[in-house]
Amino acid sequence: MDVPKEFDIIDFQGGLYTVATDIDQKTDMEALKREIDVFLEENRFERDCSRQELGNVIISSTAHKIMGYDQMDYYSPIKAKSLI
């Protein structure tokens, strides 16, 4: 792979993530985490604390001009809940 010098190569563990979308920099993170926890409990998943949470702004500058804000995806690593 021809990687530009200004970029680092990292190992990415991968796995399952839940994704929640909200308005960038206006998200009530505690409320978001509670909603994700309810979803996980109802679907037999749990948080995977061995991996980092991730985020990504998902909107173009044109859409930002129209809507007046950016949207952000919040990725929380998860795993199947142990059946034991």
Side-chain angles (χ1 to χ4, degrees):
M1 181 177 358
D2 187 20
V3 179
K5 290 180 184 179
E6 62 269 15
F7 293 111
D8 293 329
I9 296 176
I10 61 168
D11 288 328
F12 181 72
Q13 188 177 2
L16 297 173
Y17 287 81
T18 91
V19 181
T21 304
D22 205 347
I23 297 174
D24 187 31
Q25 298 183 13
K26 294 191 179 185
T27 301
D28 179 341
M29 293 305 292
E30 291 304 314
L32 179 78
K33 288 180 181 187
R34 284 192 303 273
E35 288 185 42
I36 290 171
D37 287 340
V38 168
F39 170 82
L40 295 177
E41 184 65 31
E42 290 174 349
N43 292 281
R44 297 186 0 203
F45 289 101
E46 62 187 0
R47 292 180 182 274
D48 182 353
C49 297
S50 71
R51 298 181 288 142
Q52 286 185 296
E53 294 186 348
L54 306 168
N56 184 44
V57 175
I58 59 168
I59 194 165
S60 70
S61 58
T62 302
H64 176 90
K65 287 178 187 174
I66 294 167
M67 295 174 14
Y69 60 87
D70 289 324
Q71 289 181 312
M72 178 88 169
D73 274 351
Y74 297 93
Y75 301 89
S76 298
I78 62 172
K79 60 185 176 182
K81 193 176 252 189
S82 174
L83 298 176
I84 298 174

